[in-house]
Amino acid sequence: MKKILLLILSVISLSCANTIDTVTEEILDGNYRVITIPGHESLPRDIVFNFNPMASKLSGNTGCNDFSAHYNQQGNNLEFSTPMNTRKYCKGKMEVERQILSSFEKVSKLDHTGNEFVIYSNNDVPLMTLIKIEQ
């Protein structure tokens, strides 16, 4: 009887530990400013993403055009659909925009420290760094 009770308590203890791990995962939610992409360490402040986890939708502005995409986040794994975007021309901003929009197809995971998030490709190359905008 004691062995069965010990086994039950062990199972309950392990399942509680797993629950704590899942609760502490950081969910992308709200507004984030893109602060770096490869080759561009200083970006304009108007490149902002909005993550809506209830709709699994990302929307934002690349500094010129608006865009939207669906995303799937499971823990630190992250995937995006091909983004749809407006098509106006903005002199001097199109290279950064193309780089941001094309990087969505390469995304596989994210990592965070505090309010800073780094989005990586499937071969662990950093694609962009976001910072949470506190409301």
Side-chain angles (χ1 to χ4, degrees):
M1 183 69 173
K2 287 183 182 180
K3 289 181 181 181
I4 293 174
L5 182 60
L6 183 61
L7 179 63
I8 292 172
L9 289 173
S10 296
V11 169
I12 291 171
S13 173
L14 289 174
S15 66
C16 289
N18 289 339
T19 302
I20 290 171
D21 289 343
T22 22
V23 171
T24 60
E25 292 294 335
E26 184 72 29
I27 296 173
L28 292 169
D29 185 9
N31 293 319
Y32 297 78
R33 187 168 56 85
V34 180
I35 56 173
T36 63
I37 59 174
H40 302 275
E41 297 304 316
S42 178
L43 295 173
R45 297 183 61 83
D46 58 350
I47 302 175
V48 175
F49 294 174
N50 178 272
F51 289 88
N52 179 343
M54 297 300 287
S56 297
K57 186 175 178 182
L58 166 67
S59 59
N61 186 283
T62 61
C64 178
N65 285 292
D66 294 327
F67 74 94
S68 67
H70 284 88
Y71 72 98
N72 181 22
Q73 180 186 1
Q74 295 179 348
N76 287 343
N77 295 322
L78 184 64
E79 295 177 327
F80 292 97
S81 67
T82 302
M84 297 184 308
N85 62 293
T86 56
R87 303 273 183 177
K88 63 183 175 182
Y89 177 78
C90 300
K91 186 175 182 176
K93 296 183 178 186
M94 301 312 292
E95 179 187 336
V96 169
E97 178 175 286
R98 275 190 290 277
Q99 190 171 348
I100 290 171
L101 293 175
S102 68
S103 70
F104 287 123
E105 297 175 18
K106 302 171 191 170
V107 171
S108 71
K109 67 179 182 178
L110 68 106
D111 191 18
H112 73 91
T113 305
N115 64 350
E116 189 172 290
F117 293 77
V118 180
I119 297 177
Y120 292 93
S121 69
N122 56 4
N123 53 356
D124 293 329
V125 174
L127 297 171
M128 63 183 81
T129 304
L130 313 175
I131 191 163
K132 176 84 171 164
I133 300 172
E134 299 300 327
Q135 302 288 342

